[in-house]
Amino acid sequence: MAEKKLLLGDEAIALGAIHAGISGVYAYPGTPSTEITEFIQNNPLAKERKLHSTWCTNEKTAMEAALGMSYAGKRALVCMKHVGMNVAADAFVNSAITGVNGGLVVLAADDPSMHSSQNEQDSRFYGKFAMIPMLEPSSQQEAYDMMDYAYTLSEKLKLPVLMRVVTRLAHSRAGVEVADIREENQLNPDHERAHWVLLPGNARKQYLDLVKKQEKLEEVSSKSPYNYLEGLNPEYDYEFGVIACGIGYNYVKEADTDSCHIPVLKVSQYPLPAEEIRTMADRCGYVLVVEDGQPFVEEQVKAILSSDYEVKGRLTETLPRTGELTPDNVGEAIGWGIKRPFGKSQVVMPRPPALCQGCGHRDVYDALNKVAAEYPDARIFGDIGCYTLGALPPFRAIDSCVDMGASITMAKGASDALVPRRTTGQNVPNHFDKQAYLSTVTLFERTTTTISVDNTGKDLSTVFAPYHVNHNFIRPSIFGLYLIQRASGFFLKQFKTAICHKLLDVFDTRQIIFRCVKFLPFLNIMTVVTYCNSLHNQIFLNFEMGGKPF
C-alpha cells in the first residue's frame, strides 16, 4: 500500500521534485512559494543526497543557476512568486531558445487577491510568451504527481516546463500518496555548443525549431492525463459546459450536485486542447471558463471558437473580474444553490497586518519620523518587505512601495525633480539595489538622498549567502557596505568617502536620531544600514560625506 502524507501544496511540489530526482533547487523567497525550498532544505533524503539548495540574489540568478545545472545534464527546480517572473524574464524566455539538457521546471506561485503581493499578474502569460509547455495542478496530489511528469516532459521536448500554482493550493493541506523515488541524473554536459551560444545565426535556427515544436506541444497537451472531458453525452444538448482550469476544477466539483449534470473539460496542461474545446462547445448553449487569475483561457477560447459560440467568465463578469476564485463564487456562476450557514460577524472588526511587537523596524520608523519632522517636505521611499507595514498607522512612515529596489532609484528621480530631502528604505541590498545604488552615485551631480537599508537577520543570511560567509550576520553587512563604499568612491572622484561602522542597539532610537540629525545637512549620500535578529540587535551606520570625514 502506498504511503500517504498530509502535505501543503508547496510541500507536495517539493517532495515530488525530490522523488523525481532533482539535483538542485534555486529560488528567491516570496509568498506563496517559499515553503518549497524550505521543505527541500529540511528533507532527510535531500540532505542524504546533498542536493544543492540555494537562496539566490534574485530570481534572474536563480533561473540562470538552474539552467546551468540543466546544461550539465542534471534535473533542476527554480522557484519564485509571480512577480519574480518579471525579474527572471530575460533568462526565462531565452531558456526556451537554448532548450534544456537535464529536465528544468520553473515554479511560479501566483497570488490572486494579492494576499501578500502588489499585483495579480498571471504567470501563464509568460509561458505562452516563451512558447513552452505549462502545468497547473488542481490538487495537492496532482502537484506531487506532476513533478515527475514535468521532468520527463522537459527532457523529452528539450524545453523548460512552467508549473503555475496559486496561493490557495500552495497553502492548503491534503493527503498525498507518494510514489517510487527516482535516482538523480548522471553528469552529462551538453556538447552541442550552438544550442547555448545565442549568436544571431544560432538563435534564428533555435527559434525556428521552437516554433516547429508548437504543433507537438498541442498534440502532447491533447493527450495529457491531466486534460480530459467528463460528463459529455454526444447525443444530448446542454445548457452550458464548463472549462475548469487548475484549482478551478476543484471548486466546480465541490459545487456539483446529483440533480444537475453538465460536461466539464478539465485543463491542467497548456497549450489548450483546442479539439476538446470544440467538441464540448458543439453540444452546449454557452461555455463557462473557470480559472483563477486573469482571463488567460477565456480570451483564447473566444479565439478558438467562432463568434457563434457564447463564452462566459471573468470578462463577462459571470465570475468576479478581480480576486481569487472561491467555491461560493464558482457555485453562483454555475447557478447551483450555495448554502451559507455562517454570515460575517458584525462584532469583530477588521484587523490589518502590523509589525510584530518588539520588531526593531518600529524603532527605526520612530527615528525616521522624528528626523523627517525637521524637514517639512521630506519624502520617504519604501521598498518591498514586511516593513512596508510602516506605511500604516501608527507610523505612516513611507510614501511609496513599488517593487524590489525602487526605493533608491525613485528617491534619485525625486531628487532630480528637486524634492528637498529624501529618505529611502530597502529590504534586500543585492536583489536590484546595488544597481540602483550605482545608478545614484554615478551621475556626477549632487544628490541629497539618504539610503536606509533596513534588514532582518533572515534577509541577511539569505542575501549575503553568495559571499560564503556562513550566515555570519556582522561580516556580510560590513562587506556589503564595503562594496557600496568602493562603488561610490570609484565612480565619483569628488566623493571622498568616509565610512563609519558604528554598532548600535537597534532599539536605541535616540542614537539613531542623533547621528542622522548631526550629519544629514552636510551629506551628499548618507547610507543607514539597520538590521535585527534574535542573536544580534545592532545598527550599522555608513555615512558617505562630501569630502569631510568625521
Side-chain angles (χ1 to χ4, degrees), residues 250-303:
N250 250 0
Y251 296 155
V252 170
K253 301 305 289 184
E254 188 170 334
D256 197 358
T257 66
D258 294 333
S259 59
C260 181
H261 293 290
I262 57 171
V264 177
L265 175 59
K266 177 184 179 296
V267 175
S268 286
Q269 181 170 339
Y270 304 90
L272 288 173
E275 192 57 41
E276 286 74 10
I277 291 173
R278 295 188 186 98
T279 299
M280 186 181 72
D282 283 341
R283 310 306 306 176
C284 298
Y286 67 88
V287 173
L288 174 66
V289 179
V290 177
E291 56 185 327
D292 210 358
Q294 295 174 322
F296 173 78
V297 170
E298 186 177 350
E299 290 178 344
Q300 293 184 67
V301 170
K302 289 184 175 182

Side-chain angles (χ1 to χ4, degrees), residues 285-469:
Y286 67 88
V287 173
L288 174 66
V289 179
V290 177
E291 56 185 327
D292 210 358
Q294 295 174 322
F296 173 78
V297 170
E298 186 177 350
E299 290 178 344
Q300 293 184 67
V301 170
K302 289 184 175 182
I304 291 171
L305 302 176
S306 70
S307 58
D308 295 333
Y309 295 88
E310 184 179 8
V311 179
K312 296 183 179 181
R314 289 185 179 265
L315 290 175
T316 62
E317 297 189 354
T318 307
L319 287 162
R321 183 62 180 85
T322 62
E324 63 185 348
L325 293 178
T326 68
D328 284 359
N329 59 37
V330 170
E332 289 176 356
I334 293 175
W336 295 331
I338 302 297
K339 296 180 180 179
R340 292 188 176 86
F342 303 105
K344 291 184 179 179
S345 171
Q346 301 301 313
V347 178
V348 179
M349 296 298 293
R351 185 172 62 182
L355 289 171
C356 299
Q357 294 297 322
C359 175
H361 299 320
R362 289 174 171 268
D363 297 83
V364 172
Y365 278 135
D366 280 337
L368 286 175
N369 280 338
K370 290 173 182 177
V371 173
E374 300 295 321
Y375 302 89
D377 295 321
R379 296 292 185 272
I380 299 176
F381 294 85
D383 216 316
I384 300 293
C386 64
Y387 46 72
T388 305
L389 298 172
L392 303 177
F395 304 104
R396 300 187 185 277
I398 62 175
D399 297 294
S400 77
C401 172
V402 179
D403 63 70
M404 287 280 189
S407 56
I408 298 176
T409 37
M410 285 187 67
K412 179 61 177 74
S415 176
D416 292 343
L418 300 180
V419 174
R421 182 69 62 178
R422 277 106 359 236
T423 303
T424 73
Q426 71 169 56
N427 176 23
V428 277
N430 276 350
H431 190 278
F432 263 116
D433 291 312
K434 284 193 295 186
Q435 297 95 312
Y437 194 98
L438 292 176
S439 177
T440 299
V441 302
T442 58
L443 292 178
F444 292 92
E445 58 193 22
R446 182 172 180 81
T447 299
T448 53
T449 303
T450 303
I451 302 173
S452 168
V453 185
D454 198 3
N455 269 296
T456 65
K458 179 180 179 181
D459 293 329
L460 285 175
S461 67
T462 294
V463 170
F464 291 99
Y467 299 120
H468 306 292
V469 294

Side-chain angles (χ1 to χ4, degrees), residues 153-279:
L153 183 66
S154 175
E155 290 172 351
K156 177 181 178 182
L157 297 173
K158 293 297 182 182
L159 290 173
V161 172
L162 175 63
M163 180 182 283
R164 184 247 190 179
V165 297
V166 295
T167 301
R168 292 299 176 186
L169 181 64
H171 285 171
S172 59
R173 294 184 184 273
V176 175
E177 288 189 2
V178 299
D180 296 335
I181 301 174
R182 186 186 185 279
E183 293 298 321
E184 297 177 58
N185 286 0
Q186 295 297 314
L187 181 66
N188 181 31
D190 195 341
H191 298 291
E192 192 63 53
R193 182 177 296 177
H195 290 171
W196 299 90
V197 181
L198 292 184
L199 291 167
N202 293 340
R204 281 192 288 268
K205 181 180 181 299
Q206 292 287 96
Y207 179 63
L208 181 60
D209 290 342
L210 177 61
V211 171
K212 290 178 178 178
K213 285 183 180 179
Q214 297 309 298
E215 186 175 344
K216 178 65 174 178
L217 265 59
E218 292 174 7
E219 179 186 341
V220 170
S221 181
S222 67
K223 297 178 180 178
S224 169
Y226 300 109
N227 291 346
Y228 49 83
L229 180 57
E230 60 185 20
L232 179 71
N233 187 329
E235 297 180 358
Y236 291 170
D237 289 329
Y238 298 87
E239 179 186 355
F240 65 97
V242 175
I243 298 175
C245 308
I247 198 171
Y249 176 76
N250 250 0
Y251 296 155
V252 170
K253 301 305 289 184
E254 188 170 334
D256 197 358
T257 66
D258 294 333
S259 59
C260 181
H261 293 290
I262 57 171
V264 177
L265 175 59
K266 177 184 179 296
V267 175
S268 286
Q269 181 170 339
Y270 304 90
L272 288 173
E275 192 57 41
E276 286 74 10
I277 291 173
R278 295 188 186 98
T279 299

